[in-house]
Amino acid sequence: MKNPVLVTGGCGFVGRHLIKYLLNRGESVWVVDNLFTGWHPDKWLLEFEKTMEPEYSVYKKGGQELVFIEKDALDFFLDQLKSRSQIKLPEFSDVFHLASIVGGRLLIDGDPVLVATDFAIDSLFFVWATRNKDKISRIMYASSSAAYPVNLQSKEKHIALPEEVISFGGNLGQPDMTYGWSKLSGEYLSTLAAKHYGLHVACVRPFSGYGEDQDLTYPVPAIAARIAKRENPITVWGTGEQGRDFVYIDDCVEAMFVVLDKISDGSGVNIGTGELRSFNEIIKILAKIEGYNPTIKQLLDKPVGVQSRYADPKKIYSLGWKPKVSLEEGMSRVLEMAKKRI
Ligand SMILES: NC(=O)c1ccc[n+]([C@@H]2O[C@H](COP(=O)([O-])OP(=O)(O)OC[C@H]3O[C@@H](n4cnc5c(N)ncnc54)[C@H](O)[C@@H]3O)[C@@H](O)[C@H]2O)c1
């Protein structure tokens, strides 16, 4: 029988989509999540039969199986390392390390020291992984476009960010707050895990992943919720001219598998389309789908992050990935869900 897949942070937005994909292709999955922002599997593994063990719960449906360990990744990896856990882990095929304090702009800018917990999560993860390298086939580390230097994303000077802008042993630049620093250091640990310890590691740098079930602290579902209520004027944080590279969540998950199959040296690959779209454009697209024409009201006291963040997608395209869901189609799916939520 094939070894299961481990997903840390599997109850979050990306994790839930990734896990559905894995379960559908017949993998059994182990999840470690403390539900900091994640949803309890009872809410999204509907129609699964649940059994409770002292240290974890098991969800089963047909041939599908998921083991859920509700625990802080810090405690989980430390307990494993100090041999004080009751849970005997199996050997894992793939390990997707997603657990991270992410949050929207308010958290990234507002509580940067809390977000710095991510350094500790990643360090313990890689200590555990390198001590258990014979029991793991491959690792995918979820980095972020926030690892890129902010001075290449300003109003005056912005470029479609190519992977080589981050070069260990060369230039690194200044990433976006502690969140970006932790992703940069996580990428460095990934290269060490590959080069010094012989592990198969791939890093992905997703740009702005979005989808129907994303938390309302993120801009796309938050704007869609306001459009669904047909608010007029409609508010936007900052001038609304800040731009991002939006990737629909299913495309994002597919890209992760493509990267994991092709990259093993710990290097990072963008998950982005190369299209820079402003929040004002997103409002216009959503309002057009909804069939009204609201005035946009700027909230200039809100945190907005960098001005223009978008990928150079050459590398991921060369690996064989292209987005399948257009921005208009993705936004209409988000809006449909937003209408159901109100
Ligand atoms: N969504 C995107 O567009 C995007 C973009 C760039 C990078 N990423 C990266 O992808 C990963 C997943 O992001 P997401 O959007 O699903 O975020 P999310 O907040 O929805 O998911 C993160 C998950 O990690 C869990 N978690 C947080 N701290 C934990 C801890 N100490 N122990 C155990 N679990 C913990 C949360 O409960 C949550 O389920 C993150 O590493 C994030 O940095 C996502």
Side-chain angles (χ1 to χ4, degrees):
M1 215 175 104
K2 213 179 155 204
N3 289 334
V5 175
L6 174 65
V7 185
T8 72
C11 297
F13 171 59
V14 175
R16 295 191 298 275
H17 287 266
L18 178 82
I19 286 169
K20 281 186 188 154
Y21 193 104
L22 289 166
L23 291 172
N24 283 338
R25 70 175 204 195
E27 313 275 359
S28 60
V29 180
W30 284 54
V31 174
V32 178
D33 199 304
N34 65 353
L35 304 181
F36 175 71
T37 49
W39 298 0
H40 197 287
D42 287 357
K43 278 199 198 159
W44 51 280
L45 288 179
L46 305 172
E47 295 163 23
F48 278 67
E49 207 168 288
K50 177 181 171 184
T51 47
M52 306 276 288
E53 301 290 335
E55 305 285 332
Y56 52 81
S57 323
V58 183
Y59 293 77
K60 284 187 185 171
K61 187 177 86 174
Q64 301 184 342
E65 182 172 310
L66 179 138
V67 174
F68 173 51
I69 302 167
E70 184 178 341
K71 212 173 171 100
D72 193 308
L74 295 171
D75 298 325
F76 175 78
F77 289 120
L78 210 52
D79 287 352
Q80 287 292 330
L81 286 165
K82 295 200 176 282
S83 304
R84 59 189 185 204
S85 172
Q86 303 298 314
I87 303 171
K88 183 166 168 16
L89 297 180
E91 295 190 8
F92 291 111
S93 54
D94 293 341
V95 175
F96 292 85
H97 179 48
L98 310 179
S100 173
I101 296 184
V102 191
R105 240 327 113 183
L106 267 184
L107 188 63
I108 289 176
D109 284 3
D111 200 350
V113 169
L114 178 72
V115 176
T117 308
D118 291 342
F119 288 105
I121 296 174
D122 289 350
S123 303
L124 280 176
F125 168 73
F126 278 107
V127 177
W128 170 80
T130 51
R131 297 321 89 169
N132 290 277
K133 61 179 187 174
D134 298 332
K135 298 179 188 155
I136 297 170
S137 302
R138 310 187 298 179
I139 292 175
M140 199 217 70
Y141 174 73
S143 179
S144 169
S145 52
Y148 280 111
V150 288
N151 67 347
L152 299 177
Q153 306 170 59
S154 68
K155 194 170 179 179
E156 299 70 33
K157 180 186 176 192
H158 52 83
I159 57 166
L161 295 157
E163 283 80 359
E164 54 274 18
V165 164
I166 296 174
S167 158
F168 297 113
N171 292 326
L172 294 174
Q174 167 93 21
D176 186 357
M177 303 295 293
T178 49
Y179 177 63
W181 278 108
S182 77
K183 294 300 179 185
L184 191 60
S185 86
E187 287 203 25
Y188 183 56
L189 295 176
S190 298
T191 62
L192 290 179
K195 289 187 188 125
H196 284 247
Y197 301 88
L199 275 155
H200 176 131
V201 191
C203 293
V204 286
R205 298 178 190 152
F207 280 67
S208 292
Y210 73 96
E212 295 92 310
D213 58 334
Q214 194 171 27
D215 195 89
L216 288 170
T217 51
Y218 289 82
V220 169
I223 292 171
R226 301 203 281 276
I227 297 273
K229 290 186 220 146
R230 296 180 77 90
E231 289 182 6
N232 195 359
I234 189 119
T235 54
V236 69
W237 287 19
T239 61
E241 284 309 310
Q242 9 6 315
R244 296 290 181 269
D245 184 338
F246 295 95
V247 189
Y248 186 67
I249 185 63
D250 292 350
D251 284 331
C252 187
V253 166
E254 273 190 22
M256 289 180 169
F257 288 101
V258 170
V259 174
L260 186 56
D261 281 347
K262 305 267 169 69
I263 302 288
S264 58
D265 64 356
S267 59
V269 179
N270 289 339
I271 302 182
T273 65
E275 261 190 63
L276 177 68
R277 308 296 282 258
S278 72
F279 290 107
N280 289 336
E281 281 178 272
I282 297 300
I283 290 178
K284 284 184 188 133
I285 291 171
L286 285 164
K288 189 169 171 211
I289 301 168
E290 179 56 19
Y292 82 124
N293 188 17
T295 310
I296 296 175
K297 183 180 168 197
Q298 301 176 343
L299 300 179
L300 297 174
D301 58 335
K302 298 284 188 188
V304 290
V306 293
Q307 179 72 13
S308 300
R309 175 174 290 163
Y310 56 114
D312 178 338
K314 270 201 278 314
K315 188 165 179 185
I316 184 102
Y317 281 10
S318 76
L319 299 182
W321 175 88
K322 270 211 161 74
K324 292 186 182 139
V325 179
S326 69
L327 192 63
E328 284 72 15
E329 172 59 26
M331 290 298 157
S332 81
R333 293 183 194 178
V334 174
L335 184 59
E336 270 315 298
M337 180 57 78
K339 285 188 192 169
K340 287 186 189 141
R341 279 178 174 172
I342 54 172

